Every structure is written in C-alpha cells, then in structure tokens.
Amino acid sequence: MHDGGHGMDGMNMDLPPFTLARGLEFGGDPFFLVGCLLGLLLYGWAVIRLRRRGDAWPMGRVVAWVLGVLTVALVMCTQLNDYGMAMFSVHMVQHMIISMLSPILLLLGAPVTLALRALPAAGRGRKGPRELLVALLHSRYMRIITHPAFTIPLFIASLYALYFSPLFDFLMESRAGHIAMMVHFLAVGLVFFWPIMGVDPGPHRPGYVMRMLELFAGMPFHAFFGIALMMASEPMVDTFLHPPASLGIEALSDQTAAGGIAWAFSEIPSVVVLIALVFQWYKSEKRQSQRSDRAADRDGDKDLAEYNAYLASLNARGQ
C-alpha cells in the first residue's frame, strides 16, 4: 500500500486543512502556467492580426477562450494542485473541470479556425505552419482520433481503466506523472467534444441529432463512475488511502465526496453543450432559410412556380 502522504516528495505532509481560500492561493505550476500564458498570448496575437487586416472575429469566441484558459489555470496553477495530490475530492474537482469544462470553453473559442485565418500562407511549393495544420486536419490520424468509435471508449476508459488500475497510483507518485495525467484529461476532453461542438473544421461533422447522441453516449458512464465511488464501502484508490493527518479528513468520506463531485459534474457539460448545440442549430436553420429566401428573390420563386405547375398537371390528369 502506498502512503498517500508521499505524493509530492513529502510536500503534502503538513498541508493545513482544506478551505476554498487556501485552495485558490497561487501555486504556480510552471508547466501549466507557461501553457496558459502561451495560450492567451498566441490567441491574442491571432485576433489582433485579423483585426489589423480588417477582418472581424466574434467577441464571444474570445471570451470563451479566455474563460477556458482561466479554468485550466484555476485548477492547475493554484494550491488546488497541491491539495489534489492528497485529497481525492479536490483531485476530482481538477479532473472534472480540466476534462469536461475547460475543453468545451476552449473549443467554443474556435482556435483552429482562428489559426487557419491568422497564419500566413507559405510560398508555392513550401510548407509553413498553416499548410502543416491543414494537412493534419485532413490526415487519416485525425479521422481516427475524432471518430466516435474512438472518442467515446477513450472517454470512458480514462475513468475506469485509470482509477481502478495500478496506473493511477504510479502516475500520482510524482509531479511529472500527475501533470501527464492532467494533460491527458484535457486532451481526451478536447477530442471527445471537438466533433460534438462542431465550431472548428474537422474530419467528422455529424448532424446535430448525431452530435447530441454522441454527447449522451458518454455521460451515463460518468454518472455510474461517480455512483460507484459514492457507494463503495472501502477506499478504492491506494494513493488516497492515508491522507496526511494535518488535513483532518477520513479517506472513505473524502472518496464519497469525490464520487458526488464526479456524478454531479457529469450533468453540467451536457447542459452547456446542449445549449450551444441548440443555438448553433437555430443559427444554421436561420442561415438556410435566409439563403432560400435570397434564392427565391433571385429566381422569382421558381421552385414554388414549378410545384404549382406540378399540382396543376395532377389536377388536369385527374379530370
């Protein structure tokens, strides 16, 4: 059995009892701090480049991207990251936000579309960053990793195969392993929600009904995972078996709290994504009807005239 206290090279041993104020103190994990700053700077650079060129970029997308980056920073660049090494409940908050909320917000920021519009095209016969991005989007690799037959099992396995196997304990023994796990959660969230959100171009663009089905295919497994943790009569993960005494918590009740967080969180992304999808659907229907109205104005309602002529011919035949 592992001693949960050793999680971060003994750093957890004297953590004071968890409070939200302590959890939100700046922790400054360098890997995620640099990643978040780069994410904001590159996105900002691309938006400014478009604006200077006279192209518009929706403010809503900028807000979504900034919120997405801030949610990653919130759980990875604060003391939540230290507490998450010793407390299952705090770890679960990190996991849920970085795999289910951050990806949705980041994808609503349409970073791929922005990159394709902001990156300059290389000269003829040369390959620049833009050309490489286009090639990646059209690659077989991308078609596989964004296909529901891959993303849904991956999304589910990220819970069950990780937490209920020795792999979780192995990764939690070091800060590097912990960061690798969080990067994995973020990546899995991005590939799972990318085809569903449908804001950026990608190999799979299912219709709205299929997207909703994909969304709901993964969510019950999340809820079951949470319920399994809540109903367990003994601690299921070695890492959190012996929380540091200074925290003043008990392993089983902390695990029950973690299960409750996982269960409750499985509903939040469903609602956010559903609202976004319905809104997108509404906008695309509106565009479609505007297009057909414009076409009707152009050709004097040719379709309607043809339909009326067809009805008249049926009528004449029936005489």
Side-chain angles (χ1 to χ4, degrees):
M1 289 289 181
H2 294 299
D3 173 17
H6 76 196
M8 281 183 2
D9 315 302
M11 283 176 64
N12 289 341
M13 296 313 275
D14 51 0
L15 277 175
F18 179 78
T19 63
L20 194 58
R22 282 177 186 148
L24 294 180
E25 282 172 18
F26 181 69
D29 178 81
F31 180 87
F32 274 96
L33 194 59
V34 170
C36 288
L37 288 173
L38 271 177
L40 292 175
L41 287 171
L42 290 171
Y43 195 93
W45 168 82
V47 172
I48 290 165
R49 193 178 158 87
L50 286 192
R51 294 261 162 91
R52 283 207 179 126
R53 209 164 61 195
D55 288 350
W57 184 255
M59 201 58 212
R61 287 182 178 177
V62 178
V63 171
W65 177 263
V66 171
L67 286 175
V69 173
L70 289 179
T71 55
V72 174
L74 176 76
V75 294
M76 295 310 301
C77 300
T78 61
Q79 290 295 329
L80 286 178
N81 201 24
D82 286 353
Y83 278 101
M85 294 292 290
M87 292 175 68
F88 203 171
S89 51
V90 176
H91 168 84
M92 197 54 75
V93 169
Q94 286 184 288
H95 176 174
M96 293 297 122
I97 288 177
I98 209 166
S99 72
M100 311 232 331
L101 184 61
S102 306
I104 294 168
L105 291 167
L106 292 172
L107 289 166
L108 286 174
V112 177
T113 306
L114 180 63
L116 289 172
R117 286 179 59 184
L119 287 169
R124 186 176 301 173
R126 290 215 305 274
K127 270 194 167 35
R130 190 179 187 281
E131 289 69 24
L132 292 171
L133 181 59
V134 171
L136 179 66
L137 287 172
H138 290 291
S139 67
R140 179 186 290 171
Y141 168 75
M142 221 48 174
R143 275 207 301 278
I144 293 168
I145 71 157
T146 57
H147 194 281
F150 179 84
T151 60
I152 295 170
L154 179 69
F155 192 66
I156 296 161
S158 280
L159 285 173
Y160 293 87
L162 184 65
Y163 283 94
F164 301 149
S165 78
L167 182 60
F168 182 83
D169 295 319
F170 169 72
L171 290 171
M172 287 294 279
E173 281 179 12
S174 66
R175 191 182 269 276
H178 184 227
I179 287 170
M181 188 186 343
M182 290 298 170
V183 170
H184 168 78
F185 289 150
L186 181 60
V188 169
L190 287 168
V191 295
F192 177 74
F193 288 111
W194 183 13
I196 295 171
M197 301 308 295
V199 181
D200 273 328
H204 289 282
R205 274 294 157 269
Y208 288 98
V209 176
M210 271 311 292
R211 288 189 206 172
M212 288 178 188
L213 289 175
E214 275 184 44
L215 172 67
F216 290 121
M219 292 307 145
F221 292 96
H222 238 274
F224 289 143
F225 170 73
I227 291 165
L229 288 179
M230 285 165 77
M231 303 294 281
S233 56
E234 56 186 57
M236 297 169 79
V237 180
D238 282 358
T239 299
F240 301 113
L241 196 57
H242 303 292
S246 62
L247 286 172
I249 57 167
E250 195 258 319
L252 190 59
S253 57
D254 189 47
Q255 176 174 288
T256 307
I261 289 161
W263 177 64
F265 224 100
S266 62
E267 303 307 316
I268 297 171
S270 310
V271 174
V272 175
V273 174
L274 216 49
I275 292 168
L277 280 182
V278 169
F279 183 66
Q280 285 173 20
W281 200 347
Y282 165 74
K283 280 207 320 199
S284 80
E285 290 291 320
K286 202 168 154 188
R287 274 200 300 271
Q288 195 62 46
S289 67
Q290 281 170 348
R291 267 202 294 273
S292 50
D293 287 350
R294 279 200 297 273
D297 291 344
R298 267 202 311 276
D299 58 22
D301 263 345
K302 195 174 72 182
D303 287 350
L304 191 61
E306 283 174 1
Y307 184 60
N308 286 336
Y310 168 68
L311 288 179
S313 73
L314 284 183
N315 211 11
R317 235 178 279 163
Q319 294 287 315

